[in-house]
Amino acid sequence: MASFVRHGKKIVAIGRNYAAHAKELNNAVPKEPFFFLKPTSSYLLSGGKMEIPQGVLAHHEVELGLVIGKPGRDISQAQANEHIAGYTLAVDMTARNMQDKVKKAGLPWSAAKGFDTFTPVGRMIPKTQIKNPHDLRLSLKINGITKQDGSTSDMIFNIPRLIEHVSSIMTLEEGDLILTGTPPGVGEIVPGDKVECLLTDPEGNKLDDLQFEAVQREGGYKFTA
């Protein structure tokens, strides 16, 4: 499933799965996992240019992604690992001012999360290369300055629980991506910024990196408050 970017049908993004991130945005910690969907047209490969629409306050959220290798519905936690092909490093970009506006109005977040290029991703790392996905470090730098640096050990709901929950609602298909939530430190990216993300094991060995440059989108949607 190294070609998940081309063949996956959906991106399932878990919200508020790190307590410190929920707190920094003044959100309640959920009692069960919750998620939203992002279109696969939002994928951006490492080395690309992430486009910020006019009027948008763009926030970065670095995350560990799960690539589904075996389809399933109503997957138990005990069986969850059988359905994982591998992992990837990803960033869930968010139009924060747009999200805040629609949340206050009780409207969906799809547009705020779904712009083209709003899901930068790295390569797929086969699951055999990662001993414990709940003991990895995620970091993100902007122009060489660290903005996010957290551990997957701080997830509120672990990976088997996430797979169990999502698959109890919708079938997970081969190539689908589950984004598992972001540690604290989210913040703004502006045109001209160079972003570097890193995924490492407990010994500090690099598993993957992800790089992209932010640019101003010309044309298309323009947000007004």
Side-chain angles (χ1 to χ4, degrees):
M1 279 321 303
S3 59
F4 72 94
V5 170
R6 291 195 303 273
H7 300 302
K9 295 181 179 179
K10 57 184 172 290
I11 303 169
V12 181
I14 306 296
R16 304 174 196 168
N17 200 27
Y18 288 73
H21 169 60
K23 183 178 179 180
E24 73 180 347
L25 295 183
N26 297 313
N27 290 320
V29 174
K31 292 182 171 60
E32 69 175 13
F34 86 92
F35 61 89
F36 52 91
L37 299 177
K38 300 188 70 165
T40 55
S41 55
S42 67
Y43 278 134
L44 175 71
L45 297 179
S46 184
K49 296 185 185 298
M50 189 276 297
E51 299 178 344
I52 301 175
Q54 297 177 59
V56 160
L57 177 67
H59 273 200
H60 57 80
E61 301 182 10
V62 67
E63 313 204 9
L64 177 69
L66 315 176
V67 180
I68 298 300
K70 176 184 174 183
R73 181 186 187 206
D74 295 334
I75 301 166
S76 69
Q77 293 190 45
Q79 296 174 320
N81 190 58
E82 300 172 17
H83 294 262
I84 299 172
Y87 302 90
T88 192
L89 182 58
V91 178
D92 172 23
M93 291 299 304
T94 305
R96 189 70 71 196
N97 52 351
M98 188 175 178
Q99 184 190 40
D100 289 344
K101 181 178 180 179
V102 297
K103 280 171 65 177
K104 288 176 183 176
L107 298 173
W109 304 356
S110 299
K113 293 282 191 173
F115 287 105
D116 288 354
T117 75
F118 260 36
T119 312
V121 289
R123 69 180 183 92
M124 193 196 81
I125 307 161
K127 67 180 178 183
T128 54
Q129 295 182 16
I130 293 182
K131 294 178 182 178
N132 181 4
H134 300 102
D135 190 16
L136 304 175
R137 291 212 71 84
L138 295 162
S139 64
L140 180 146
K141 293 181 178 180
I142 300 177
N143 303 324
I145 300 171
T146 299
K147 299 295 185 177
Q148 289 187 270
D149 185 7
S151 172
T152 58
S153 64
D154 293 329
M155 288 184 192
I156 298 170
F157 304 106
N158 67 18
I159 288 166
R161 176 74 178 100
L162 299 178
I163 291 174
E164 176 188 59
H165 180 74
V166 174
S167 70
S168 74
I169 296 168
M170 59 183 64
T171 298
L172 288 171
E173 300 171 284
E174 186 178 355
D176 286 350
L177 181 68
I178 299 179
L179 300 179
T180 59
T182 190
V186 303
E188 186 178 8
I189 293 176
V190 299
D193 281 345
K194 291 179 171 53
V195 181
E196 303 168 81
C197 307
L198 190 63
L199 179 68
T200 59
D201 67 15
E203 289 73 43
N205 300 308
K206 183 178 79 171
L207 296 168
D208 196 19
D209 59 9
L210 166 61
Q211 303 176 15
F212 59 93
E213 181 181 357
V215 298
Q216 184 71 62
R217 180 180 177 182
E218 300 298 332
Y221 178 80
K222 182 176 181 179
F223 176 72
T224 54

